[in-house]
Amino acid sequence: MNTKPKVLAFDVFGTVVDWHGSIAHEIRRLNLPADPEAFATAWRKGYRPAMARVRSGELPWTKIDDLHRMILNDVLKQFEITTLAEPEIRHLNLIWHRLTPWPEVVEGLKKLKSQFTLVTLSNGNLGLLANMAKNAGLPWDLILSAEVFRHYKPDPETYLGVAQTFDISPEEVMLVASHKDDLASAHTCGLQTAFIERPLEFGKGHIRDDLHLESFTNYHAKDFLDLAQQLGC
């Protein structure tokens, strides 16, 4: 096992917060004429292609709030929803600021915070992450974002940027995430890694089947409380 990390850097969407359930709940609350589960899935499906346009240079640097709005415009057309006024669309777009954490997250983070410095490492923009933390009671020590480094994950600048921020070596940073491509990229950059199982990330109808152990993860945990226990918190 590597040296004990000093900083735990957390992926956020899916790892810390339940984006799918939160968005589906909002669609139900608004009583929109669309399947809530399908709407949530479609909105998230546009996420990677939109970031790829920025990473390739097709789009200039664009924060996630603005990418989410671009995708939302397309999804509203896809579902033929024309009843929302502009202020309502803006408010719906900000659901990403109001996502609900998984049930054990706050307690788990508080345990982990007793021994480690906790930071976000998300493609979400700073304002989004700050509002989310305030709304959900997430006890971060520092909010870091792709916006700080002007690079989206999985660009190495994001992972190595955490180590540079704290003036520590990459192996003293551990990425905590429920997405294996994110963890594999962090591992390649020399970070330690912890995989968190989130079988319901994509909703009850799409239970994840990629929860097995991997060679590029230092820790494999059921949830944040399990990870805290494994790390001796």
Side-chain angles (χ1 to χ4, degrees):
M1 184 62 66
N2 292 342
T3 58
K4 196 169 185 178
K6 293 180 178 178
V7 174
L8 305 187
F10 289 78
D11 170 66
V12 174
F13 300 124
T15 303
V16 176
V17 291
D18 175 13
W19 60 265
H20 189 280
S22 301
I23 292 171
H25 181 268
E26 182 76 353
I27 299 308
R28 291 188 189 94
R29 188 188 70 79
L30 293 171
N31 199 27
L32 294 182
D35 178 273
E37 309 290 327
F39 192 101
T41 298
W43 199 352
R44 180 68 171 181
K45 190 175 181 180
Y47 181 69
R48 285 175 186 256
M51 285 192 301
R53 293 177 66 192
V54 175
R55 294 179 66 219
S56 71
E58 179 187 343
L59 289 177
W61 175 259
T62 307
K63 66 182 182 179
I64 283 290
D65 272 343
D66 295 332
L67 293 181
H68 278 155
R69 176 59 195 266
M70 291 165 53
I71 302 162
L72 176 59
N73 290 342
D74 291 338
V75 174
L76 291 172
K77 290 177 186 175
Q78 176 186 335
F79 285 87
E80 299 180 342
I81 295 172
T82 59
T83 55
L84 295 178
E86 174 59 25
E88 294 171 312
I89 297 174
R90 283 202 300 268
H91 185 71
L92 174 56
N93 192 53
L94 295 179
I95 184 60
W96 296 91
H97 294 222
R98 308 187 297 272
L99 300 180
T100 303
W102 297 106
E104 91 298 339
V105 158
V106 174
E107 182 185 356
L109 288 177
K110 288 178 179 177
K111 286 180 181 292
L112 291 164
K113 188 170 179 170
S114 69
Q115 293 194 30
F116 302 96
T117 296
L118 308 186
V119 306
T120 61
L121 185 59
S122 173
N123 286 329
N125 46 285
L126 292 167
L128 182 160
L129 295 169
N131 289 339
M132 178 192 292
K134 188 78 170 176
N135 183 65
L138 304 174
W140 306 122
D141 291 302
L142 180 66
I143 293 174
L144 290 177
S145 157
E147 186 178 3
V148 173
F149 308 116
R150 285 296 195 269
H151 282 273
Y152 281 125
K153 294 187 295 181
D155 289 353
E157 289 86 350
T158 56
Y159 307 108
L160 297 176
V162 179
Q164 291 164 0
T165 296
F166 288 95
D167 197 22
I168 57 179
S169 66
E171 74 168 355
E172 292 177 297
V173 178
M174 185 161 73
L175 179 70
V176 181
S178 62
H179 307 120
K180 292 186 174 180
D181 54 351
D182 199 1
L183 293 166
S185 297
H187 173 77
T188 299
C189 290
L191 277 66
Q192 295 189 55
T193 55
F195 177 72
I196 306 297
E197 295 183 8
R198 295 297 186 201
L200 299 177
E201 179 186 356
F202 299 101
K204 293 179 180 178
H206 299 87
I207 296 177
R208 289 177 52 175
D209 60 0
D210 63 342
L211 306 182
H212 52 277
L213 293 169
E214 299 285 3
S215 61
F216 53 79
T217 55
N218 301 94
Y219 294 88
H220 184 112
K222 293 288 185 185
D223 56 24
F224 285 4
L225 291 174
D226 183 18
L227 179 63
Q229 185 175 31
Q230 290 186 43
L231 290 173
C233 298

